[in-house]
Amino acid sequence: MAAPAIEKLSLEEIPPPPAGTIFIDDLTGADDESAGTSATYPLKSAAFALHIFPDAPAYYLRRQSDSPFEPITASALKKAKKGAEGLAKRAKAAEELKLKKHADEAKRLEEASKIVIKPDPSLPVPKRIKIRAGTTTRETRVVIQGWVHRLRLQKGLVFLVLRDGTGFLQCVLSGDLANAYSTVTLTLESTVTIYGVIHSLPEGKSAPGNHEMAVDYYEIVGLAPGGDDAISNKVQESADPSILFDLRHLVLRGETMTGIFKVRAALLRSFRRVYEELGILEVTPPCMVQTQVEGGSTLFTFKYYGEDAYLTQSSQLYLETCLPALGDVFCVQESFRAERSHTRRHLSEYTHVEAELAFLTFEDLLSHIENFITRTIQYVLEDEEIAGIVEKLNPNFVPPKLPFRRMTYESALEWLNEHGIPNEEGEKFKFGDDIAEAAERKMTDELNEPILLTRFPVEIKSFYMKKCADDPRVTESVDVLMPNVGEIVGGSMRIYDLEELMKGYKREGIDPEPYYWFNDQRIYGTCPHGGYGLGTERILAWLCDRFTVRDCSLYPRFTGRCKP
């Protein structure tokens, strides 16, 4: 029995709440069964309080956030009792409906279990195909194996979208196939073998490939979990990013991730196609090295048979050694940077596309880079399937056009200062400052076009970069900046005079001895040369409009993340 109501008292007369009191606050409370037993987590309504805790010794109510809890009045208690009776009736009705649904479901499953599906031996022997071949095999009986990507059950009719990695296919099951126990208990991500005939869709209907399969038989290869363990419960877009990274193997099955990695494959094909057309040869440099390229602070170190070694930051030095033997060369290789950076454009492991070119000028290098990028994107978008994915992921994407905007480092500083964008110390930019990511992004997004940012100061660039003849303070260097992602390419002309290279080592405090093989390039037939490195994940983020490059790596590695 509820305690008798106490009429409203003055602040001094409010008795202390007895043990077991239920607290109610219709402004900040929540009608949750776990709330109400303390003033910190009150319930929202008195009706719900009486419904859940009908035998509480007392109910204390607060109607204003700055007021104390006080015993509920008799009139409020009477009103709450009526509300509680209504809640109890609704709860009973809901439980009865739930029981009825369970009974109906049990009856449906019992009837479904009596249906036996089996192949029709009178039908033609099917041709085994992948979904990508669906258009060319219409009106022919085929068999396809894949995963249940979507599933919609109707009375006597089931629409199933099958995925096999080459595409998506809508499959229609009817009659006994739709009503069988194996079908009504089928789950997303189950593996199936499906037999049937693919037909064109009638006008006004839509489905992947503009066709659908009329299924005559199917078999379950592997049944995926349902209920709480269903993939739709395990992987949700709103989940914490760290959880989604832990479940990357399941996240990859989504249409967005599938699309990104199909575009990535097309991008890598296009890189190689352009290089092939330019007569540039692919080589495969080592990933385990004993020399640095981009500074010792970002080296991953390990012991190699008792000696110190590193995971490569860049394959550039090895590519340079190939020039006298093989001419212009490139590689598609993993690079590793131990940067404790949590920005959206940094990874600890990324796919590095690098090239080194002999006998060219700095202007030749700039022209090559902008042509290489535009031609690569042109080839990516020539593939209709890939162009469709890019259009879906990035509907506002505009392929870059020649020529790219040229901007020197000093001009960039002037632009940033004129637009009130400060350096990392919150001050105006001055010569020698590094342009950090945030400022670079603001400038690039504001200008909204590809930029070849050139002639960086010697002090903020690597030891091997050639100084400009007209201004020895700066180097013949370039970063390619793209809207929405920032830097995607870094390159320079390389020092090809041995004495000048030695000065570079000395400036950076590097022992030249381990670089003997690199130094020999300046002794045995040196020549003017330059090169660049392109981050595959960054250009993919630009192409597919991704907020972070982590979306563009199959299993991204960054600070604190090396699983799964």
Side-chain angles (χ1 to χ4, degrees), residues 264-433:
R264 181 185 171 107
L267 184 64
L268 291 170
R269 284 197 304 271
S270 298
F271 286 149
R272 288 187 165 95
R273 178 179 172 185
V274 175
Y275 283 132
E276 180 75 20
E277 291 173 353
L278 294 174
I280 301 175
L281 190 71
E282 182 170 10
V283 294
T284 308
C287 282
M288 296 184 290
V289 301
Q290 291 186 305
T291 50
Q292 68 182 52
V293 183
E294 300 296 337
S297 64
T298 64
L299 286 169
F300 281 109
T301 62
F302 64 97
K303 284 296 181 182
Y304 185 75
Y305 300 109
E307 295 184 329
D308 290 334
Y310 320 107
L311 294 178
T312 186
Q313 300 164 312
S314 165
S315 298
Q316 174 204 319
L317 306 189
Y318 293 93
L319 292 180
E320 287 190 49
T321 69
C322 296
L323 293 177
L326 301 169
D328 298 342
V329 290
F330 80 96
C331 71
V332 180
Q333 187 76 288
E334 296 302 285
S335 283
F336 305 86
R337 301 279 174 91
E339 290 181 275
R340 293 192 174 277
S341 175
H342 290 276
T343 75
R344 54 177 166 159
R345 68 177 191 177
H346 281 92
L347 290 168
S348 298
E349 176 186 8
Y350 63 98
T351 303
H352 210 173
V353 178
E354 299 182 85
E356 288 295 318
L357 314 170
F359 300 107
L360 81 169
T361 65
F362 185 43
E363 188 57 39
D364 292 336
L365 179 65
L366 298 181
S367 296
H368 165 87
I369 291 172
E370 63 184 357
N371 274 283
F372 174 72
I373 293 171
T374 53
R375 215 151 132 191
T376 295
I377 299 304
Q378 174 193 332
Y379 289 158
V380 167
L381 298 179
E382 281 181 0
D383 184 316
E384 288 187 11
E385 179 191 3
I386 301 303
I389 295 172
V390 172
E391 168 67 22
K392 186 175 181 180
L393 296 173
N394 190 1
N396 297 318
F397 180 74
V398 178
K401 295 181 181 178
L402 297 173
F404 290 2
R405 182 186 189 123
R406 259 76 162 169
M407 177 183 275
T408 66
Y409 164 84
E410 288 190 271
S411 297
L413 296 191
E414 291 174 7
W415 190 96
L416 291 165
N417 288 333
E418 287 171 2
H419 289 78
I421 300 172
N423 64 13
E424 289 190 288
E425 285 73 44
E427 301 171 351
K428 281 193 170 187
F429 278 94
K430 58 185 181 302
F431 186 87
D433 286 347

Side-chain angles (χ1 to χ4, degrees), residues 11 54 81 116-117 149 152 207 252 306 308 331 352 442 464 477 481 488 494 526:
L11 185 61
K81 286 179 178 179
V116 178
I117 59 172
H149 186 69
R152 180 159 54 94
L252 291 175
D308 290 334
C331 71
H352 210 173
K442 285 180 181 178
Y464 53 77
S477 52
L481 311 180
I488 61 169
R494 317 307 193 190
T526 191

Side-chain angles (χ1 to χ4, degrees), residues 89-269:
K89 287 178 182 178
R90 286 198 289 273
K92 183 180 179 182
E95 182 62 25
E96 289 174 350
L97 180 62
K98 183 179 177 181
L99 292 173
K100 184 178 184 302
K101 283 183 177 180
H102 283 167
D104 290 345
E105 180 66 12
K107 183 179 179 181
R108 185 169 74 101
L109 292 176
E110 183 183 356
E111 291 174 353
S113 64
K114 298 174 184 177
I115 299 172
V116 178
I117 59 172
K118 52 188 178 181
D120 183 346
S122 68
L123 293 175
V125 175
K127 179 181 180 181
R128 187 173 296 276
I129 66 164
K130 294 286 188 180
I131 289 174
R132 63 173 171 241
T135 304
T136 58
T137 52
R138 288 176 181 173
E139 308 308 325
T140 302
R141 189 167 187 254
V142 296
V143 57
I144 304 175
Q145 294 181 296
W147 292 264
V148 178
H149 186 69
R150 283 200 211 84
L151 189 62
R152 180 159 54 94
L153 282 70
Q154 298 178 193
K155 191 172 182 180
L157 203 62
V158 171
F159 292 91
L160 178 158
V161 175
L162 191 68
R163 182 189 75 241
D164 73 350
T166 73
F168 300 90
L169 177 65
Q170 180 167 287
C171 305
V172 182
L173 288 72
S174 58
D176 283 350
L177 282 176
N179 297 320
Y181 183 86
S182 58
T183 304
V184 298
T185 58
L186 194 59
T187 51
L188 295 177
E189 293 306 317
S190 292
T191 324
V192 293
T193 302
I194 294 191
Y195 300 76
V197 178
I198 299 173
H199 304 289
S200 298
L201 284 176
E203 199 71 33
K205 301 288 184 179
S206 64
N210 291 317
H211 53 217
E212 64 184 14
M213 174 190 273
V215 179
D216 59 59
Y217 179 65
Y218 80 94
E219 299 167 336
I220 296 176
V221 178
L223 186 66
D228 291 342
D229 291 326
I231 191 168
S232 54
N233 288 328
K234 288 182 74 72
V235 178
Q236 298 179 7
E237 285 187 16
S238 59
D240 185 279
S242 63
I243 294 174
L244 295 179
F245 282 126
D246 287 342
L247 298 175
R248 187 71 164 189
H249 56 293
L250 298 179
V251 173
L252 291 175
R253 303 183 185 201
E255 288 182 43
T256 296
M257 286 286 107
T258 299
I260 289 170
F261 290 106
K262 285 188 175 183
V263 176
R264 181 185 171 107
L267 184 64
L268 291 170
R269 284 197 304 271

